[in-house]
Every structure is written in C-alpha cells, then in structure tokens.
Amino acid sequence: QTPTSRLLIFHCIYRSATPLPPWVRVARRKSCNELMPAHRVNQARGRMTSLKDKAKFAHVVGRMDPDSRLVGARRLPGGVSAEVTLIEVERPDGEIEEMVLRRHGPVDLQQNPNVAEDEYRLLEITGRSGLVTPKPRFLDQKCDIFPTAYVVLEYLVGETEFEPVDIIDYVSQMARHLTYIHEIDCVQQDLTFL
C-alpha cells in the first residue's frame, strides 16, 4: 500500500464511523441537554454516563483546560471500533463546546497499540490539508483516567443520507472528496506511523 492509499483507506473507514461523512446534510447544532434531557433518557440516542464515569470525564476536561468544566456527557450510538462519548464543556468565557472522546476497543488496540496517537496525528494532517475531518483537540496516553489512551475530537453534527434527493450531487460530492484525498502530497507528510 502507498501512503496515499493508506490515507484513503483510513479516511474511508474513519469517516464511516463518525457523525459527519463528507456527503451528509448538516443538522442544527444542539447542546447535550437539548438532545438528552436528564429526566428522560432515550436509549436509542445513547445512554447517560454514570456518576463514576462523569467524574472521569470531568477529570479529562480538567486535564485539557483547568479553567473549563464538564456540563454533560453521554455515549453516542454506532461506535463499532471505539467507545464514543459526547462531552459538553463550558469554557471560562461561558461558551459551550461539544467534543467527542474516543476510546478504542480491544480489536483496534491489538492491531495497533498506538491507534489513538495515530488517529490524532492523521487528523492533524487531514485538517492541515483542507479535508473535512474533525479537528483533534486532545490526546492522552497516560492511562490514569481510563485504562487505555484516548483522543478528544471536535464534534460535528450531521446525519447520513442513505436515500439522497439528488443522487448526481450526492455522488459528485463523494468523488470530489476522494479527489481531495488523492491530492494530498504524501511526500511532504510524515506518514511513517501508518
């Protein structure tokens, strides 16, 4: 495999598990509390985290930025290779930011013990290259909050369109994004970690 094909394969696999593939319609941004009221947990949309887990996520937020605080956390459905949790963080200026914390499962870790670091580094490269991918926010490899390394990413709200109204536009968007991936100058990027 060439570095370009590895980048393409990772992008396609990663994008299939994220909330916003390049060919989706973006939904209106909502807060965790709007999506998941504490008094009415909707199992289809994810379950609220336990108090023990909330303490861990609060510790993560404190490690990322000691002046910010955890507002909410809930598991997101659909994660195949990783446990994915939406965390809602209040910044010192009062702004609320939603992020995704990904903890890779045993299959990923067995294949690549550095999967969290590799994902973080690859998302830095794809972001600098102009691809539509979540911005990596934080990487923690200390394994003192959770038993494995984890990565925190920008949260992108959206939904996959399985039956697009305009199939020509749908396929054109996919082809355009594949072209963008192949236009990345892999010689200028350090992809030896893949």
Side-chain angles (χ1 to χ4, degrees):
Q1 291 179 332
T2 67
T4 303
S5 66
R6 284 195 301 262
L7 181 64
L8 172 63
I9 290 166
F10 181 86
H11 180 74
C12 290
I13 291 170
Y14 179 75
R15 300 302 287 161
S16 67
T18 60
L20 185 63
W23 50 86
V24 301
R25 180 179 65 236
V26 176
R28 184 174 66 82
R29 189 175 214 42
K30 295 182 178 182
S31 74
C32 287
N33 294 333
E34 287 177 284
L35 288 173
M36 183 73 60
H39 66 279
R40 204 173 98 196
V41 176
N42 179 348
Q43 292 295 328
R45 298 190 81 171
R47 64 180 175 81
M48 296 296 285
T49 58
S50 69
L51 290 177
K52 182 179 175 184
D53 285 342
K54 281 194 177 188
K56 289 181 179 183
F57 292 119
H59 193 78
V60 168
V61 171
R63 185 167 285 169
M64 288 173 27
D65 179 4
D67 296 324
S68 294
R69 71 176 188 89
L70 178 71
V71 175
R74 69 175 174 89
R75 295 214 26 211
L76 294 175
V80 176
S81 63
E83 185 174 304
V84 183
T85 305
L86 177 68
I87 58 174
E88 189 174 31
V89 177
E90 183 177 2
R91 298 290 186 192
D93 63 1
E95 181 182 334
I96 303 293
E97 182 177 3
E98 295 171 331
M99 293 177 258
V100 171
L101 186 142
R102 287 176 48 92
R103 292 185 289 155
H104 291 273
V107 173
D108 282 351
L109 292 168
Q110 184 178 7
Q111 292 175 352
N112 178 3
N114 300 316
V115 66
E117 178 184 5
D118 292 353
E119 179 177 17
Y120 187 91
R121 290 174 65 189
L122 190 56
L123 287 171
E124 285 182 317
I125 291 168
T126 59
R128 282 193 309 265
S129 300
L131 295 179
V132 179
T133 55
K135 295 175 186 151
R137 298 287 194 208
F138 186 69
L139 170 66
D140 190 351
Q141 298 175 296
K142 292 181 182 177
C143 301
D144 60 344
I145 299 175
F146 297 107
T148 59
Y150 61 88
V151 62
V152 178
L153 312 171
E154 170 186 36
Y155 179 61
L156 302 174
V157 180
E159 59 187 38
T160 304
E161 291 185 24
F162 292 107
E163 297 179 16
V165 175
D166 185 347
I167 191 72
I168 304 288
D169 182 56
Y170 181 85
V171 173
S172 295
Q173 286 184 51
M174 289 172 54
R176 189 168 43 254
H177 285 279
L178 287 173
T179 301
Y180 296 156
I181 292 168
H182 283 282
E183 288 176 349
I184 293 175
D185 184 357
C186 292
V187 174
Q188 300 296 322
Q189 307 292 337
D190 176 18
L191 298 174
T192 56
F193 62 94
L194 292 178

